[in-house]
Amino acid sequence: MVTPTEHAFRPQTERTSGVEAGTFRILIVDDDPSLRRTFPHVLARPGRHFDECGTIGEAIERLEHEHYALILLDYRLPDANGLALLDWLVDHQRDEAVIIISGEDAIDAAIAALRRGADDYVRKPYHVAQLQRAVDGALHKGALEKANKLMSQRLKASERLHRYLVESSPDLIFTLDSAGRFTYVNPRVKALLGYDRSALMRRPFTTLVMPEDLDRIDGLLSQPSSLPGESFNVELRLRRYRGGADSESDSVTVSLTGIPMITQEDDRRVVGLYGVARDISERKRAEEIITFQAYHDQLTHLPNRVLFKDRLELAIAQAQRRTGALAVMFIDVDRFKLVNDTFGHAEGDALLRAIASRLSATLRRGDTLARLGGDEFTVLLPDINQPEDAEVIARKVLDALGAPISLSQGQFRATVSVGIALYPRDGGTAEELTRHADVAMYQVKRSGKNAYRFFDPDLNTRHRDRIALENDLRTALARNELDLHYQPQVSVIERRIVGLEALLRWQHPVLGPIPPATFVQVAEEVGLIGEISAWVLERACTQVAEWRAAGIEAPRLSINLSAHDFHRANIVASITECLGRHALDPDQFEIEITESIMMDDTTSVAAKLRELRSAGISVAIDDFGTGYSALAYLQKFPVSSLKIDRSFVRDLEGPMTNPIISAITGIARGFELELVAEGVENEEQARALRALGCDVMQGYLFARPAAAAEARNWLSSPERLFEAFDASSATAHYAN
């Protein structure tokens, strides 16, 4: 029952975070619209209301008019990173809880966010359950903090309500006399420590203190007599009473604030101590959890990148003092993406936990196994005597994964690729050793996986060359280093050019010509192939338009597209738009694809090819016969021509010596497809192809790939292309 006096001095009920008590407003700040739409669904709870925006500026504008219980903040945003909003909240003394959601791997980003007041830091990719727990925890923590804040305000509201507030305080409040004995203690002591208030009267406060903390509190309790008026704050463990069973493990951690009680006389003597002890057991446990999370992987509970680096640096320092050696292993799970894509991320997580368990079982006491993220693990092997010691552990790692791992979807045989770097041979710092072990692991991946390899300086050189090539390729377009060469496709019977194939060339300013087989693969891996393909299409269309303006009618032009190009939804539209912009007829162009494209997402690829054919653009299968040739694909995909791979043409000696070419020519006739033979280098090959029914040929016998100027000469005087062919035919005639 609340008395009228108490009601008069009770603070007004606060509005919490912009809505009535019991509800929460949550602001989502993320530049990804799909995530902004997803969060309210996965985080929905009764009483939660969501607002969203995509930039820091929009967020500040909302915060100037609204209060929120929680802000879900992306780390990287178009106009600034999330730290800017954290600084704004501090400057404006705001109390919104903030959870940073980031794809940053570096621990520095997390540390910076937490130092600026972020309540939690969730790394991408994350589990929905992880995000839900973080949000629930932040809201719960915020609610508790606001409840405590309200209680603190009540303590200050009025001296007339002092006893009411003290008696109902969630904190342990007490007074001591000058000898350190209890003169008052509030009822909280019963719930917190299990003691009756009356049992503590006139007993020394130190009887509640655990033995390990006695020295500290004794010194502080004696302080008021010499330093009157100065308060102190200390963390202590107090005994919990359990029917007479006091033990070290049965204690409560409190934050104790002691304030000397001073007389009002002129001498201002210290007559006792006013103390407030707040139970911080939950906070201490939360701090331990946060500390653990900062240094351990959430999925496997293994040390993370930060803790691994700390231990590695310590091991290096110890090895330097003892002139010892150590090894670092970089372990990557083979085909892990296959599990995620096939069975889902839950199964992928189960696989990672199982692999972590097996890897841990192979290591010695004192070794450190860490998970860097994704499917990457590292191992620190201190105190090794020779490289063979690390080799023994590497074999154990491979053997440990020999037995299949049982998942809910079935059994999976996991393998790993292991790279090993040795100290001091392969590096003197933690960063060098980890990087070199990673380079060695990458070489295992390229060599077939499921093996181990020691770092070799030559590997690092090749790795650096690859990175340099990637960087140079990114600027090749801007520097006009790419060019198109053209190779004619000729009809031997009609003695005319029936087509040109556009071939991409890269003239590196330092390395010279770089083969397409080298840099195209790099472009695909680093995501540049779409930009390069768009340049090829634009350059080819521009060249045909220039020839036409000069009065030269070009035959059909073939352009090669990568399998990655067909992953783009707008690939057909981009081709037709380019042709339309240059006022070119679609039947002047042919798109060449490989057989492997037809194996990748068959339905989607077939639909795009049908769109190309409907637009009037021809489609050719390049290198036919070397990949996944099947009549079913020819029935399903609307192709217009086949190109016989040069590997079949190279070994031709007579019309019946290559049954594959015979089969391909039969397939072309059966499906009414045009047929082109690539790599024709001599007249004997040409005669054999003619005998097998192939008339259109392409190769060095007629012309090597050349720049646009030379291609223009061919178009003006196509008879020049048959001079070598005619000469070899005449020689063969006279020889017979």
Side-chain angles (χ1 to χ4, degrees):
M1 178 177 179
V2 179
T3 66
T5 301
E6 291 169 342
H7 184 273
F9 289 92
R10 174 172 291 177
Q12 293 295 315
T13 302
E14 293 185 341
R15 290 174 61 86
T16 304
S17 303
V19 295
E20 294 297 331
T23 62
F24 301 93
R25 295 196 66 164
I26 299 174
L27 178 61
I28 301 168
V29 186
D30 199 297
D31 60 344
D32 187 340
S34 63
L35 283 179
R36 296 203 303 269
R37 292 192 299 269
T38 300
F39 282 158
H41 292 289
V42 301
L43 299 176
R45 296 288 189 280
R48 292 184 183 178
H49 303 269
F50 296 85
D51 292 332
E52 63 178 66
C53 59
T55 65
I56 295 294
E58 294 173 2
I60 292 175
E61 184 177 354
R62 286 181 175 273
L63 288 166
E64 287 175 342
H65 300 89
E66 299 285 351
H67 277 74
Y68 293 87
L70 176 64
I71 300 174
L72 296 178
L73 178 60
D74 190 9
Y75 185 84
R76 292 198 176 278
L77 291 160
D79 54 345
N81 63 35
L83 300 181
L85 186 58
L86 290 173
D87 291 337
W88 186 92
L89 293 172
V90 171
D91 293 341
H92 290 77
Q93 299 181 350
R94 301 293 287 262
D95 59 356
E96 281 87 351
V98 179
I99 296 177
I100 296 288
I101 301 175
S102 171
E104 300 289 323
D105 288 334
I107 191 65
D108 292 341
I111 292 173
L114 294 174
R115 283 179 175 173
R116 282 173 165 82
D119 293 79
D120 206 344
Y121 190 95
V122 178
R123 285 191 177 92
K124 299 177 182 177
Y126 53 81
H127 296 288
V128 171
Q130 177 188 1
L131 180 61
Q132 291 172 337
R133 286 195 299 271
V135 170
D136 292 344
L139 292 177
H140 180 64
K141 176 184 174 184
L144 291 177
E145 289 176 347
K146 290 188 180 299
N148 283 334
K149 180 180 179 181
L150 179 60
M151 186 60 70
S152 297
Q153 290 173 343
R154 286 178 174 173
L155 286 170
K156 299 176 182 178
S158 172
E159 289 185 11
R160 285 175 291 178
L161 289 179
H162 176 70
R163 178 161 296 277
Y164 168 79
L165 296 174
V166 169
E167 295 289 319
S168 60
S169 172
D171 299 329
L172 176 63
I173 300 177
F174 59 89
T175 59
L176 306 177
D177 61 18
S178 58
R181 295 171 298 192
F182 281 106
T183 57
Y184 170 81
V185 61
N186 70 343
R188 173 63 173 157
V189 70
K190 181 67 175 178
L192 183 63
L193 300 177
Y195 291 94
D196 291 326
R197 300 169 67 184
S198 59
L200 294 178
M201 291 299 100
R202 312 308 301 174
R203 288 182 61 184
F205 175 76
T206 53
T207 60
L208 298 182
V209 181
M210 297 297 288
E212 293 80 3
D213 297 333
L214 277 174
D215 290 342
R216 285 189 298 136
I217 193 62
D218 278 341
L220 291 171
L221 289 178
S222 63
Q223 181 178 341
S225 60
S226 58
L227 297 172
E230 290 195 8
S231 62
F232 63 84
N233 186 275
V234 64
E235 290 185 5
L236 296 171
R237 285 178 298 166
L238 302 181
R239 299 177 186 273
R240 189 193 297 271
Y241 179 70
R242 296 293 190 188
D246 290 342
S247 65
E248 180 179 353
S249 61
D250 196 9
S251 62
V252 176
T253 304
V254 299
S255 174
L256 172 62
T257 300
I259 304 174
M261 295 188 297
I262 304 173
T263 62
Q264 299 300 317
E265 294 105 11
D266 294 338
D267 56 359
R268 293 183 58 80
R269 292 179 295 105
V270 176
V271 296
L273 184 78
Y274 172 77
V276 178
R278 173 164 296 178
D279 181 8
I280 60 170
S281 300
E282 289 296 327
R283 192 190 82 188
K284 297 296 288 186
R285 281 192 287 269
E287 289 175 352
E288 291 173 358
I289 293 173
I290 291 172
T291 301
F292 183 86
Q293 291 177 343
Y295 292 100
H296 291 80
D297 171 56
Q298 299 303 297
L299 178 65
T300 62
H301 293 172
L302 294 174
N304 62 9
R305 186 187 300 270
V306 177
L307 183 54
F308 179 80
K309 182 181 178 183
D310 288 345
R311 291 186 180 178
L312 178 54
E313 289 176 343
L314 177 60
I316 291 173
Q318 293 172 343
Q320 286 174 338
R321 288 195 297 270
R322 297 194 302 264
T323 318
L326 60 85
V328 173
M329 299 171 59
F330 201 106
I331 302 173
D332 189 273
V333 181
D334 300 328
R335 302 178 299 123
F336 177 71
K337 187 175 184 296
L338 178 64
V339 177
N340 267 350
D341 293 345
T342 306
F343 302 121
H345 290 280
E347 289 290 82
D349 291 345
L351 177 62
L352 288 175
R353 285 191 291 266
I355 291 174
S357 176
R358 293 195 184 184
L359 294 179
S360 297
T362 66
L363 303 181
R364 310 164 301 174
R365 179 176 296 181
D367 296 341
T368 296
L369 171 66
R371 180 182 178 225
L372 299 190
D375 58 350
E376 295 178 341
F377 296 85
T378 50
V379 177
L380 167 61
L381 303 175
D383 300 323
I384 63 169
N385 298 319
Q386 52 192 353
E388 287 74 12
D389 295 340
E391 193 171 5
V392 169
I393 300 296
R395 289 199 188 99
K396 287 183 178 180
V397 166
L398 298 178
D399 293 341
L401 297 174
I405 295 174
S406 296
L407 303 175
S408 63
Q409 301 288 339
Q411 291 188 329
F412 183 82
R413 291 187 179 273
T415 62
V416 294
S417 299
V418 183
I420 308 172
L422 301 175
Y423 171 87
R425 188 187 75 182
D426 299 328
T429 66
E431 181 181 354
E432 284 181 336
L433 291 170
T434 305
R435 185 176 70 251
H436 289 166
D438 187 13
V439 170
M441 180 279 299
Y442 182 76
Q443 190 62 27
V444 175
K445 286 281 190 184
R446 293 175 64 90
S447 302
K449 306 180 178 65
N450 192 26
Y452 66 87
R453 180 166 185 163
F454 285 90
F455 173 74
D456 184 335
D458 290 341
L459 295 179
N460 199 35
T461 300
R462 290 196 292 271
H463 204 65
R464 290 178 182 274
D465 290 343
R466 166 61 183 262
I467 294 175
L469 188 66
E470 290 181 10
N471 293 334
D472 291 344
L473 184 56
R474 294 181 188 277
T475 59
L477 279 174
R479 295 177 179 176
N480 294 319
E481 295 171 8
L482 298 184
D483 193 14
L484 286 185
H485 283 198
Y486 303 88
Q487 188 174 32
Q489 299 167 349
V490 301
S491 169
V492 175
I493 295 177
E494 299 179 6
R495 300 178 66 82
R496 67 182 182 90
I497 300 175
V498 297
L500 290 174
E501 180 179 2
L503 300 168
L504 182 61
R505 295 292 183 264
W506 180 14
Q507 183 68 28
H508 192 282
V510 176
L511 303 177
I514 297 180
T518 299
F519 72 82
V520 168
Q521 180 183 5
V522 173
E524 291 176 339
E525 292 179 4
V526 301
L528 289 175
I529 193 63
E531 184 179 355
I532 291 176
S533 293
W535 179 89
V536 169
L537 178 64
E538 178 66 27
R539 186 71 193 90
C541 289
T542 300
Q543 185 61 68
V544 172
E546 289 176 357
W547 283 334
R548 184 183 59 186
I552 299 174
E553 287 300 323
R556 182 181 60 205
L557 184 64
S558 298
I559 300 174
N560 293 275
L561 289 185
S562 165
H564 294 262
D565 292 318
F566 280 85
H567 294 162
R568 294 157 46 203
N570 66 337
I571 180 62
V572 177
S574 63
I575 294 173
T576 55
E577 187 276 333
C578 187
L579 294 177
R581 185 158 27 86
H582 291 277
L584 301 177
D585 294 330
D587 59 7
Q588 286 186 273
F589 281 83
E590 180 176 71
I591 301 299
E592 293 191 11
I593 63 174
T594 60
E595 293 175 275
S596 60
I597 293 179
M598 297 188 292
M599 296 289 293
D600 185 13
D601 191 5
T602 304
T603 303
S604 175
V605 173
K608 292 183 175 70
L609 294 182
R610 279 192 289 271
E611 288 184 56
L612 289 172
R613 298 290 287 128
S614 298
I617 301 171
S618 301
V619 176
I621 301 179
D622 196 13
D623 303 333
F624 187 77
T626 60
Y628 308 93
S629 304
L631 296 181
Y633 290 123
L634 294 180
Q635 290 176 323
K636 184 177 298 185
F637 292 91
V639 299
S640 52
S641 61
L642 306 178
K643 298 189 73 175
I644 302 174
D645 186 66
R646 66 184 66 248
S647 62
F648 302 128
V649 175
R650 186 183 303 121
D651 299 328
L652 272 177
E653 296 178 358
M656 301 307 294
T657 58
N658 196 312
I660 294 179
I661 293 182
S662 298
I664 294 174
T665 56
I667 291 172
R669 284 194 299 269
F671 283 91
E672 298 182 351
L673 301 176
E674 297 180 19
L675 191 62
V676 180
E678 295 182 296
V680 181
E681 298 183 357
N682 56 61
E683 193 268 342
E684 184 178 21
Q685 294 171 346
R687 284 192 290 108
L689 288 167
R690 280 295 305 120
L692 289 169
C694 178
D695 172 49
V696 180
M697 305 178 196
Q698 176 181 346
Y700 290 177
L701 176 62
F702 305 99
R704 293 175 178 268
E710 180 63 16
R712 174 173 177 168
N713 293 334
W714 298 335
L715 297 175
S716 301
S717 305
E719 64 277 0
R720 296 171 50 198
L721 301 177
F722 294 91
E723 292 175 354
F725 176 72
D726 292 339
S728 60
S729 297
T731 301
H733 173 75
Y734 287 118
N736 291 332

